[in-house]
């Protein structure tokens, strides 16, 4: 396995990872009554193609087999850039999904990370490669990026996701509190 920088051509794969990370319930909530999960996927794919969003291909790394087949995805970035990078998400959601959030409302939302943290936003292993160390390798890769910024690597983990929590605990993450995300309390972990 090797890990490479994502490209614009990986946008759909990045969107797949984001939807898996947020789950069906939140995806349906984002879609609302008049849109579908495919619309939400298209939103995230369009954001992954851009250079100015938290979900950008520039913030994404792809684990691949020696034949170049994708095994997993990690999206991570400097928490100091969150507010600036999430504005395009909400503007696109306003346009594509009929949301009506103002810039002031967007900027007033609590962040999933802080400026003093390097944030692991999305982590996904493609099902047929699970149990082969892909997630651990992608976390190690994100940790190396965090070290370069001089900041700890942080993430949010659903309180009910014991499988993910066991992985994070085994790598050395420690819970440093709770943090709201999309109306749910999440464990805030740091490495």
């Amino acid at each position: 396995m090797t890990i490479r920088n994502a490209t614009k051509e990986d946008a759909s794969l990045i969107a797949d990872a984001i939807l898996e990370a947020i789950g069906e319930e939140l995806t349906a909530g984002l879609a609302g009554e008049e849109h579908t999960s495919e619309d939400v996927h298209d939103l995230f794919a369009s954001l992954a193609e851009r250079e100015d969003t938290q979900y950008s291909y520039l913030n994404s790394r792809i684990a691949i087999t020696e034949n170049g087949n994708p095994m997993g995805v990690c999206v991570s970035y400097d928490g100091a850039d969150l507010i600036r990078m999430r504005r395009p998400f909400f503007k696109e959601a306003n346009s594509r999904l009929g949301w009506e959030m103002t810039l002031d409302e967007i900027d007033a939302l609590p962040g999933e990370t802080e400026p003093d943290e390097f944030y692991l936003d999305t982590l996904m292993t493609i099902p047929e490669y699970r149990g082969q160390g892909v997630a651990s390798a992608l976390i190690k890769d994100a940790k190396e990026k965090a070290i370069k910024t001089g900041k700890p690597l942080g993430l949010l983990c659903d309180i009910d996701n014991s499988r993910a929590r066991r992985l994070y605990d085994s790598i050395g993450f420690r819970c440093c509190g709770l943090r709201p995300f999309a109306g749910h309390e999440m464990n805030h972990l740091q490495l």
Side-chain angles (χ1 to χ4, degrees):
M1 162 183 17
T2 58
I3 299 175
R4 65 167 173 80
N5 291 327
T7 66
K8 286 184 182 183
E9 289 72 29
D10 295 309
S12 183
L13 178 62
I14 294 166
D16 292 343
I18 295 164
L19 292 191
E20 182 170 313
I22 65 175
E24 291 179 18
E25 183 179 333
L26 186 51
T27 299
L30 294 174
E33 297 284 325
E34 300 189 15
H35 297 278
T36 66
S37 60
E38 290 80 21
D39 295 329
V40 177
H41 183 277
D42 291 346
L43 166 68
F44 283 112
S46 74
L47 295 169
E49 290 178 340
R50 296 173 59 154
E51 296 182 358
D52 62 344
T53 77
Q54 72 225 66
Y55 304 112
S56 172
Y57 70 94
L58 295 175
N59 296 326
S60 303
R61 301 270 287 163
I62 311 293
I64 58 171
T65 66
E66 60 184 46
N67 295 331
N69 296 324
M71 302 172 78
V73 176
C74 182
V75 179
S76 61
Y77 49 84
D78 190 326
D81 297 328
L82 174 65
I83 301 300
R84 174 187 56 79
M85 290 190 305
R86 75 177 180 183
R87 288 176 182 161
F89 163 77
F90 286 101
K91 287 179 183 177
E92 284 292 313
N94 282 347
S95 172
R96 291 171 177 261
L97 303 177
W99 295 9
E100 297 179 356
M101 294 190 69
T102 67
L103 188 58
D104 288 338
E105 290 171 325
I106 294 165
D107 289 346
L109 290 171
E112 54 262 39
T113 186
E114 296 292 330
D116 62 352
E117 178 177 76
F118 195 84
Y119 186 62
L120 195 160
D121 186 292
T122 301
L123 179 67
M124 186 237 351
T125 301
I126 294 172
E128 61 261 33
Y129 297 107
R130 290 187 179 148
Q132 297 180 30
V134 175
S136 296
L138 286 166
I139 292 169
K140 180 181 177 187
D141 184 70
K143 178 184 175 187
E144 291 171 9
K145 289 169 57 179
I147 288 169
K148 290 178 183 175
T149 68
K151 298 178 181 182
L153 182 63
L155 58 85
L156 297 183
C157 181
D158 191 308
I159 291 171
D160 298 325
N161 191 342
S162 59
R163 181 175 170 207
R165 182 62 191 268
R166 280 192 303 275
L167 169 67
Y168 299 136
D169 288 348
S170 74
I171 291 171
F173 281 91
R174 296 295 171 247
C175 188
C176 55
L178 297 175
R179 189 174 292 243
F181 177 75
H184 298 88
E185 288 290 316
M186 307 280 273
N187 284 315
H188 178 210
L189 309 177
Q190 280 190 341
L191 181 64

